[in-house]
Amino acid sequence: PSIAKASTSENFIAVFPFGYKGFWNECRKSSPAEANKIDIDEQAFFQSMINYFVEKYQVDRKQVFVIGTSGGGHMAYKLAMTMPDKFRAVSAIIANLPDSSNFDCVALNKPVNIMITNGTLDKTNPYEGGEVILNSGNFGRVISTDKTVHYWSNLAGYKGNASMEQLPDNDPNDGKAIEKYSYTGRKKEVVLLKVIGGKHDYLNDVDIHLYSWEFFKHIMKK
């Protein structure tokens, strides 16, 4: 992947953990995944990984970041909610937070630097909220992207509307356009990439993993 190649030239370690039998025990109470049913201790797993790379490769504990897509995006949210002080910034891709009836984490309700990327035509992770249905089953309801973003922006202390900019349309034939909404100016930053016409897939206009790395580098400079 592109992020692995970038790690060589930009002096960071890219780690690709794999969930238990392909799934994580994230915050969706209704998840049919075995990781959820047997309650895998993900926090212990990720803390152990951080400790390992600090001890073996002298990684800076204050510069640890997380990117996750779909179920991995939900895992990224769980880490941001339950271990906010362990990660400098988070990038959650095609995922919304579970609604209150489908939520089984103990959130610390602390602000984090976070970037969220969701598509308006996503039928798996509905942009406006609703049930998440996969071949492996019903993962319960999620809230809308706007409410997900507002959860994080409210924790960070922002009031009012985010600033918006249109990102360049580098692939005019893909039927997608990206609006970037940013809450900046306070200690933590909250960013939404709203992919107009986007589905449960990756972007064509930007490489979201490299774009996430640029967001992380920006946060490191603060």
Side-chain angles (χ1 to χ4, degrees):
S2 57
I3 196 72
K5 293 180 180 179
S7 67
T8 302
S9 60
E10 305 221 19
N11 196 32
F12 67 90
I13 296 176
V15 181
F16 300 90
F18 195 71
Y20 182 73
K21 296 185 178 180
F23 290 92
W24 299 106
N25 176 26
E26 11 93 351
C27 294
R28 291 181 289 185
K29 182 167 59 176
S30 298
S31 169
E34 188 173 347
N36 177 54
K37 293 184 180 300
I38 65 176
D39 199 22
I40 294 289
D41 190 342
E42 304 289 13
Q43 290 99 320
F45 175 59
F46 278 86
Q47 183 61 68
S48 294
M49 274 199 295
I50 293 171
N51 292 342
Y52 173 82
F53 284 98
V54 168
E55 293 166 9
K56 188 172 180 64
Y57 298 104
Q58 292 73 57
V59 165
D60 185 349
R61 287 186 185 273
K62 296 181 180 179
Q63 305 291 4
V64 180
F65 304 87
V66 60
I67 305 174
T69 299
S70 193
H74 281 276
M75 190 62 233
Y77 286 142
K78 180 174 186 174
L79 295 174
M81 288 186 287
T82 64
M83 302 171 64
D85 297 330
K86 303 298 182 181
F87 300 94
R88 185 72 185 274
V90 171
S91 176
I93 304 163
I94 51 179
N96 285 328
L97 287 173
D99 75 4
S100 58
S101 68
N102 190 30
F103 188 85
D104 67 356
C105 284
V106 179
L108 298 182
N109 293 318
K110 289 186 176 182
V112 297
N113 295 298
I114 188 166
M115 184 170 73
I116 297 166
T117 304
N118 283 337
T120 59
L121 298 183
D122 189 337
K123 293 183 179 180
T124 302
N125 175 70
Y127 192 89
E128 300 298 336
E131 285 190 326
V132 174
I133 307 293
L134 296 171
N135 292 335
S136 50
N138 188 326
F139 284 72
R141 297 184 64 84
V142 294
I143 62 177
S144 70
T145 297
D146 287 347
K147 288 182 178 178
T148 297
V149 172
H150 288 157
Y151 170 82
W152 297 109
S153 65
N154 288 340
L155 286 181
Y158 291 102
K159 306 296 181 183
N161 297 323
S163 62
M164 193 276 274
E165 66 174 299
Q166 191 81 36
L167 295 191
D169 190 358
N170 295 319
D171 187 351
N173 298 317
D174 70 348
K176 300 174 186 177
I178 305 172
E179 296 175 350
K180 180 180 181 181
Y181 295 85
S182 302
Y183 290 94
T184 60
R186 302 185 68 86
K187 189 174 181 179
K188 304 295 184 181
E189 296 192 10
V190 178
V191 174
L192 167 66
L193 297 188
K194 181 177 182 178
V195 187
I196 310 300
K199 299 180 182 179
H200 202 67
D201 55 13
Y202 285 118
L203 305 174
N204 294 335
D205 294 299
V206 299
D207 183 319
I208 192 58
H209 296 100
L210 294 182
Y211 199 88
S212 297
W213 172 237
E214 292 300 321
F215 174 65
F216 295 161
K217 287 196 294 184
H218 163 72
I219 296 301
M220 282 192 285
K221 295 176 182 177
K222 292 183 64 176

